[in-house]
Amino acid sequence: MAKMKAIEAAAKILELEGVTKAFGVPGAAINPFYAALRGLGSINHVLARHVEGASHMAEGYTRSNPGNIGVCIGTSGPAGTDMITGLYSASADSIPILCITGQAPRARMHKEDFQAVDIESIAKPVCKWAVTVMEPAQLPGTFQQAFHIMRSGRPGPVLIDMPFDVQMAEIEFDADAYQPLTPYKPAATRIQVEKALTMLNDADKPLLVSGGGVINANADALLTEFAELVSVPVIPTLMGWGTIPDDHELMAGMCGLQTSHRYGNANLLASDFVLGIGNRWANRHTGSVDVYTKGRKFVHVDIEPTQIGRVFGPDLGIVSDAGAALELFVAVAREWKAAGKLKDRSAWVAECQERKRTLQRKTHYDNVPVKPQRVYEEMNKAFGRDTTYVSTIGLSQIAAAQFLHVYKARNWINCGQAGPLGWTIPAALGVVAAEPGRQVVALSGDYDFQFMIEELAVGAQFKLPYIHVLVNNSYLGLIRQAQRGFDMDFCVQLSFENINAPELGEYGVDHKAVVEGLGCKAIRVFKPEDIAPAFEEAKQLMAQHSVPVVVEVILERVTNISMGVEIDAVNEFEELAEKGADAPTAISLLD
């Protein structure tokens, strides 16, 4: 057995568990770990400008490809508390990330030592597991257990807190004998799948709802195959967007109060049966349970037993990993199809397709200042099927879900439930770090962009190029729209006359100057006809300099994006498309 510092064993386990990249900010209490990483030499480190930024980079890294687990590192005290938002957003979306923090020596943890905080207790509500390791010999087992927990059942984040003296102590550790633990993933049984398929087959107008669990299970191909076998249209959730291509004949649109399509809501409301796989019936998807469930039966497949019945009781619940369930659904569906047992769904599919063809929102506006809908139209033209979009929250994200197109799993990377402002820049950097050369386009409103703008320097320093579309209306747009119900426009204006940038008028912050000061490139656009040339220039600048390139589009100050309080009562504040020219990049043409 080899004798080594406990922290050297921990670093080696990261390597043995497949970690090749980490994001973080060093500090005194975590320096032993950084020394171990330096000695190991196999894990590339990206230095963030803020520890919260590092946690979101780890999220982007995990979300980018199957099997990835992002790692973020910080020192004691505020580094751990800075990570809490990242842990929350990862937990909410079932994303495994490993947060590692340093801690004061054990003997001084209870003595109000400098930067000593009980981060284990603080982090527990937003983690699958949070632990402060009090015995050096437990450190290898703790790291082994962390990866087992992150990969088992419903995925999620873990925090490991390590006192300084625990890191420095010597222990026995045999790296050659180390083996990752086999994750636990529940699997559906044949009788469960046959019961669910019988209910689907008995229905007249069934739908599949495909959630983020399908993406976590890397089961998008199985989802599409199953939908094709039974000829049942698919409603992806926001977290499941891309599990079936937007232009597939069975893609029936997204449903919800905000991030939804008109035809998605209409198709859901016309259905009489829903099979949900790997989804959690989020309230932005369902609206009120009464409206969402009225007149239809439900089967819910989820990896987490306590998720079944959390929002409403289904007619049948199946605890299973989405991939394991879909393998069995495909196998049984093939048998039933060969035996001629499956219904002909052509009339129902045609009905859903007709809604998709006709229920479109208008995007083609020539207004100056630019209307946001036109930005998404130009994005659809400029960026191809392989583009990965990264966004988090706000009117920009809601409109993106209504107007952009996604064709592959993991090509829409979005913080779905938590929605923290500032998430987009670091998450996009994490995606690029995971797969250099990937075409990544991030999307932010001006406030999201300003929250963690300093992380753009990371993209410049570490050559992590991507395009960031910044739609600037100098407003907290989503909150302003929500305040309409209170008959106010209060504390949501970001506008002011910048004495250093009079050309901006009342649009306040000179993002172009800040972006360039951080080592990146920026282009500002005032007219709709200049958006497409700006995107082409951004591609060239990104290729030439290998840094993030920001395209800022100055929008009209006030636009109300379609949303409502129920899926059958979405307010359409803007014009609807009546002909193809109104929505020239719509996924299905009106003409």
Side-chain angles (χ1 to χ4, degrees), residues 435-486:
E435 191 176 335
R438 186 166 176 168
Q439 186 180 25
V440 175
V441 176
L443 175 69
S444 290
D446 43 309
Y447 210 40
D448 171 53
F449 189 72
Q450 290 173 21
F451 256 57
M452 302 203 78
I453 195 171
E454 74 279 356
E455 301 301 336
L456 285 173
V458 177
Q461 179 180 354
F462 292 92
K463 301 298 183 184
L464 301 172
Y466 75 96
I467 293 174
H468 202 121
V469 179
L470 165 59
V471 286
N472 181 5
N473 62 0
S474 199
Y475 245 125
L476 302 186
L478 178 57
I479 309 307
R480 176 207 54 76
Q481 187 167 334
Q483 286 186 352
R484 295 172 74 253
F486 296 89

Side-chain angles (χ1 to χ4, degrees), residues 17-18 79 152 165 240 270 293 330 338 354 377 521 549 557:
E17 293 282 357
S152 293
D165 56 326
T293 60
V330 166
E354 180 63 11
E377 178 183 308
K521 289 290 186 179
V549 180
R557 295 294 313 287

